[in-house]
Amino acid sequence: MSSNQASPAPRRVAVVGATGAVGREMVSVLHARNFPVSEIALFASERSAGKVQDGPYGPLTLKAFDAEVVKGYDVVLLAVSGDFAKEHAKNLASAGALVIDNSSAFRYDADIPLIVPEINAAAFHEAFQAGSRLIANPNCTTAIAVVALGPLHKAFGLRRVIVSTYQATSGAGAEGMAELEEQTRNQLDGKPVTNSVFRHPIPFNLIPQIDAFQDNGYTKEEMKVTWETRKILDLPDLALSCTAVRIPTYRAHSEAITIETLQPVTPDAARAVLADAAGVKVVDDPANGAYPMPLNAAGQFDVEVGRIRSNLVFGDHGLDLFVCGDQLLKGAALNAVQIAELAL
Ligand SMILES: NC(=O)c1ccc[n+]([C@@H]2O[C@H](COP(=O)([O-])OP(=O)(O)OC[C@H]3O[C@@H](n4cnc5c(N)ncnc54)[C@H](OP(=O)(O)O)[C@@H]3O)[C@@H](O)[C@H]2O)c1
């Protein structure tokens, strides 16, 4: 919105899944970004109905999700599951609400936009003007990667991409964080460590499996990064391989990314491109110990990018970089709110 335009009309906003790791952040991000809200309502399961949740809008009473009620809101941010989204999202959107879904239910549907505003806002505007009201929010690892990959592609052209991830426990929701904390305590106290969210104990360990294995030996999480990066960058044939690993941190995902480019590239040229890129903060002073890390990226809107160097395999057509972003923010809540802002 330019400064000589009238302020956008405040919207009635429903956050569904408001008690979860992503839902709570959505409420905070709406407030932090001054999203024009005339009313905000928090919905979760029957289990949470009637409980009071404190947040930046003050204490709010949680309601059990009721499709008939939620239909009346202007903006619906969904942070529940894929099955839940499949059951409700299209009906809510048909009723006129702008529905932004955080699950993977619709990300691969050709007629549903998958949006990271810094990269493909045009795809949102085109679909929105044509009447689409259901928008998919990408997988967290993908959203963080494309904020850096998009500008590099524009400047140098991407030929091949290899990603290795280091993903926080909160990527598995609020229960994932709780399991890390409880198991760590039990292990240090010499008590039995039992895991239920993760397949193996997560404290003092890492697990090279996120989501189910596919026929090709990759996990679903790894294939999501390939499929979604191709869709967001509009590069349907991009060669991209990912290995996704769960590590014992609370929040913020890290990714070691290797790119082969079509045009020659230098670390300085890449740094200059990334320094100008929206949503990116270049943190790249290794001599002084400055590089992206989860402890610094957690709670930040920008994705940190550093360790930028020429790649020994691809020479002057290749780069290595390390990125770190808060997956509950850029990988979920922030990106969803940014999409809602595109419609103001
Ligand atoms: N965590 C991440 O980093 C991340 C990143 C990107 C996308 N996502 C996606 O975002 C979605 C939410 O993930 P999360 O990590 O926030 O999960 P979570 O912490 O487990 O929260 C799940 C939320 O869904 C609610 N819920 C469950 N069943 C419901 C029902 N029948 N009706 C209404 N609400 C219901 C829960 O409410 P109760 O408290 O009442 O059970 C809770 O608020 C998932 O699709 C996930 O894949 C997560």
Side-chain angles (χ1 to χ4, degrees), residues 144-145 148 253-257 292 303-306 321-325:
I144 289 163
H253 289 351
S254 307
E255 305 175 35
I257 303 180
V303 170
E304 294 191 344
V305 185
L321 42 138
F322 197 75
V323 307
C324 198

Side-chain angles (χ1 to χ4, degrees), residues 148 151-157 259 261 263-277 280 282 284 305 308-310 316-321:
L152 291 174
H153 171 62
K154 225 174 178 179
F156 310 108
I259 60 172
T261 55
Q263 309 300 325
V265 61
T266 65
D268 280 344
R271 258 181 229 109
V273 165
L274 291 166
D276 278 345
V280 169
V282 175
D284 199 18
V305 185
I308 300 165
R309 59 203 191 275
S310 280
D316 66 359
H317 283 67
L319 281 182
D320 278 310
L321 42 138

Side-chain angles (χ1 to χ4, degrees), residues 16-23 43-45 47-48 65 79-82 84 102-103 107 138 140 170-175 253 327-328 331-332:
V16 185
T19 57
V22 174
F43 295 89
S45 75
R47 294 178 288 277
S48 303
F65 175 79
V80 189
S81 62
F84 181 92
N102 273 263
S103 81
R107 291 177 190 155
C140 43
S170 54
E175 286 181 346
H253 289 351
Q327 96 290 350
L328 292 172

Side-chain angles (χ1 to χ4, degrees), residues 15-95:
V15 178
V16 185
T19 57
V22 174
R24 284 174 183 271
E25 295 296 336
M26 284 171 159
V27 179
S28 297
V29 172
L30 285 164
H31 190 266
R33 294 180 69 90
N34 286 320
F35 190 87
V37 168
S38 60
E39 182 198 330
I40 182 160
L42 309 188
F43 295 89
S45 75
E46 297 278 359
R47 294 178 288 277
S48 303
K51 291 183 186 163
V52 174
Q53 184 163 298
D54 228 339
Y57 296 95
L60 294 172
T61 302
L62 289 151
K63 300 172 194 177
F65 175 79
D66 177 338
E68 289 310 309
V69 175
V70 174
K71 263 181 193 166
Y73 284 80
D74 304 314
V75 177
V76 178
L77 303 178
L78 286 185
V80 189
S81 62
D83 287 344
F84 181 92
K86 278 184 192 146
E87 192 177 341
H88 298 292
K90 286 191 173 167
N91 290 340
L92 296 170
S94 312

Side-chain angles (χ1 to χ4, degrees), residues 1-9 11 34 36 125 341-344:
M1 193 187 59
S2 69
S3 55
N4 57 4
Q5 280 178 318
S7 300
R11 308 297 208 263
N34 286 320
H125 291 301
E341 289 170 352
L342 293 176
L344 291 174

